[in-house]
Amino acid sequence: MAGGGGQEGASLEFTPTWIIAIVCAVIIFISLFFERFLHYVGKALKHKKNFALFEALLKVKEELMLLGFISILLSVFQGAIQRICIEDSVMLHGLPCKRESSADSVSHLSSIRHYETNFPLHFTGMRALLASGSKGSGHCKNGKVPLLSLEAIHQLHIFIFVLALTHVVLSLITVVLGITQMRDWKNWEAKIQEQDDTADKMVSHVRELPFIKKRFKENAIVGWLHSFGKQFYDPITIDDYRTMRLGFIMMHCSWNPEFNFYKYMIRALETDFKKVVGISWYLWALVIVFLLLNVNGWHAYFWISFVPFMLLFVLGAKLEHIISDLAKKVVDQHHAIIGNLVVIPSDDLFWFKSPKLVLFFIHYILFQNAFEIAYFFWILTIYSFDSCIMGKAAYIIPRLIFSVIIQAVCGYSTLPLYAIVSHMGSRFKKAILPDHMHESFEQWLAIARNNKMKGKKATNEGTAGDKLRGALNGNKTTNGGDETHVVAQSGVEMQEIQLEPEQETEIEIGIHK
């Protein structure tokens, strides 16, 4: 790049100002357009009072900000990284591809021959840019090479961006598929609420009830096999929905028998989407491990692809088996019942007594699936399908098939199962309150915790307590001298919120174990 003599290697000193202005204008326009698009999407979600999805959008913005920060770091420190020299012999260990002899190498820069020999680029423009920008690599002495070439840094840069974008898009597709699969549940909810509960209660033999007939199996092995197969066809029936809905209402909000369980589930699912769409630190750690294991001859990505594939089916079977366990508990405790069948949700039904663990597994499955798809298209674009880093077709095609199956099954079966079965634990989620109440509820909890630490009663000093009372009591006001009790059970803890008409500004909290 001496004196700007070569047009391909011209720096800003020798680049026409109108070219610089046009390129900057296009980049700024695209960036502002995308920023405004996200802004108006956020306004639309807030206008519709869909605060859960709005928070998910903010999470996406955080991921984009993180990507921008990573981009800045890679750009600023690429020169420093390239100036780190290591022994050439070190480059012979842990290569994604078998290194060819130098006689067969066709490289325009000897300092990056370990990369350039095996990975011919399809973007000649990027090749020229990197070649011109790598003049600083000549400082390495004989027998040493840069730690990472500018070309490799740029390709890594692209991969990180593609991975994050793919994860967000595939997570969105999964949630859309899941909600589409749950569209019939809204009609079930309306149908159940229209039923007359004032009719005479009939005595029914437990084993003759439709829910028990379909779900209860005497043999444990048969039960697990049934649960494994059930996730692939009609995972949730109207009998399942009705029974689990009633069990949730009787345990957590018996004071409101007309509770809309479907809306609660959708709000909770939208809140969980905010967690799924993000990339946590441990997922970035997995990326580092995956990149480390991509050694020639190991076929690590092929074997790793079995993990989310098998885990997805095990997870689906477990969710189905939880429903069967609910039926088994009823059969073990009753021979006959009067009225409707009521199941008892419990954390004991879940692995390690943690319903949240299910969401963690779904998050991991979706992320690794996104990694597989992003890695494939990244290699296909940067190199080619026949490149050595892509691997043999016998290893690539099964991985792609696994990815498609995972995406379909997760959206069609696993996510809807999670949406309803995750509420069969001992706790309920804050989505039980309307969206506009979440902020007031958090404020009230903060006041309650603060006053509890001081050994005082929690006092209502603003509108948060008034809004909370309205939400918890179904927007009903107290009459005369009657007091209103609301019970919120959470695991082994139960918070009893007692509102005294004579002292409307005071809320007493008692925690019973």
Side-chain angles (χ1 to χ4, degrees), residues 363-389:
H363 194 185
Y364 162 74
I365 291 170
L366 290 178
F367 179 78
Q368 185 168 339
N369 195 51
F371 179 88
E372 289 283 349
I373 295 176
Y375 188 81
F376 172 78
F377 283 105
W378 175 67
I379 296 296
L380 188 65
T381 303
I382 297 297
Y383 306 107
S384 67
F385 186 82
D386 297 326
S387 64
C388 64
I389 196 172

Side-chain angles (χ1 to χ4, degrees), residues 167-281:
H167 174 64
V168 171
V169 172
L170 292 184
S171 297
L172 180 60
I173 292 175
T174 302
V175 171
V176 171
L177 287 175
I179 293 179
T180 302
Q181 181 66 14
M182 295 161 56
R183 62 185 182 275
D184 291 337
W185 299 5
K186 185 177 182 180
N187 297 328
W188 295 351
E189 179 72 28
K191 181 179 179 180
I192 292 172
Q193 293 199 12
E194 290 174 357
Q195 292 178 352
D196 184 13
D197 293 334
T198 61
D200 294 336
K201 304 297 182 181
M202 304 294 294
V203 178
S204 304
H205 292 285
V206 169
R207 292 177 180 263
E208 295 179 357
L209 297 172
F211 174 76
I212 301 298
K213 284 183 177 180
K214 295 177 181 178
R215 289 292 179 177
F216 176 69
K217 304 297 177 184
E218 293 281 0
N219 187 279
I221 297 178
V222 173
W224 274 104
L225 291 176
H226 175 265
S227 298
F228 180 83
K230 191 72 167 64
Q231 63 180 308
F232 302 112
Y233 68 95
D234 204 13
I236 299 294
T237 65
I238 187 172
D239 293 321
D240 299 333
Y241 182 86
R242 180 188 291 109
T243 303
M244 287 188 283
R245 172 187 180 274
L246 184 58
F248 178 88
I249 291 177
M250 294 303 295
M251 182 171 187
H252 298 302
C253 49
S254 57
W255 45 274
N256 185 14
E258 296 181 357
F259 177 75
N260 194 316
F261 185 59
Y262 175 79
K263 288 185 177 180
Y264 164 68
M265 279 194 309
I266 296 298
R267 286 199 301 267
L269 185 61
E270 291 172 349
T271 302
D272 291 336
F273 175 67
K274 179 185 69 172
K275 301 176 182 177
V276 171
V277 77
I279 303 180
S280 304
W281 66 268

Side-chain angles (χ1 to χ4, degrees), residues 295-511:
V295 178
N296 178 49
W298 289 13
H299 307 295
Y301 289 173
F302 174 74
W303 301 113
I304 291 175
S305 64
F306 282 91
V307 176
F309 185 73
M310 298 176 64
L311 180 59
L312 179 68
F313 295 143
V314 172
L315 186 61
K318 175 59 178 177
L319 292 173
E320 288 283 358
H321 198 259
I322 288 175
I323 304 177
S324 299
D325 284 341
L326 291 171
K328 184 177 183 302
K329 288 175 65 176
V330 174
V331 173
D332 293 342
Q333 296 175 2
H334 305 284
H335 292 287
I337 60 173
I338 300 177
N340 296 321
L341 173 64
V342 179
V343 295
I344 303 176
S346 173
D347 285 347
D348 295 335
L349 300 172
F350 294 84
W351 285 323
F352 304 104
K353 299 182 180 181
S354 176
K356 293 182 179 180
L357 192 60
V358 179
L359 183 62
F360 171 81
F361 285 137
I362 292 177
H363 194 185
Y364 162 74
I365 291 170
L366 290 178
F367 179 78
Q368 185 168 339
N369 195 51
F371 179 88
E372 289 283 349
I373 295 176
Y375 188 81
F376 172 78
F377 283 105
W378 175 67
I379 296 296
L380 188 65
T381 303
I382 297 297
Y383 306 107
S384 67
F385 186 82
D386 297 326
S387 64
C388 64
I389 196 172
M390 177 71 80
K392 297 180 180 179
Y395 293 101
I396 294 298
I397 295 176
R399 286 165 52 191
L400 293 177
I401 295 175
F402 287 169
S403 296
V404 173
I405 293 176
I406 289 173
Q407 194 67 33
V409 173
C410 195
Y412 170 78
S413 174
T414 310
L415 191 66
L417 276 171
Y418 166 79
I420 187 170
V421 177
S422 62
H423 302 294
M424 293 299 102
S426 303
R427 295 171 171 84
F428 60 79
K429 302 178 181 180
K430 69 177 183 179
I432 198 171
L433 296 176
D435 287 334
H436 66 276
M437 283 300 306
H438 290 171
E439 183 177 355
S440 297
F441 186 64
E442 294 293 341
Q443 293 176 0
W444 177 81
L445 282 179
I447 296 173
R449 293 191 191 101
N450 184 44
N451 288 325
K452 185 183 175 213
M453 291 177 63
K454 295 179 179 179
K456 300 178 181 179
K457 294 181 178 179
T459 58
N460 178 23
E461 298 177 354
T463 60
D466 297 331
K467 292 180 180 179
L468 182 64
R469 281 194 294 270
L472 292 176
N473 290 294
N475 295 326
K476 295 179 182 179
T477 57
T478 56
N479 298 321
D482 298 334
E483 62 180 11
T484 304
H485 293 275
V486 179
V487 176
Q489 186 167 331
S490 176
V492 297
E493 295 183 347
M494 182 165 42
Q495 293 183 342
E496 182 178 81
I497 306 170
Q498 182 175 358
L499 308 181
E500 299 289 346
E502 290 121 358
Q503 299 177 346
E504 293 185 352
T505 60
E506 184 172 302
I507 301 178
E508 294 183 356
I509 305 175
I511 300 179

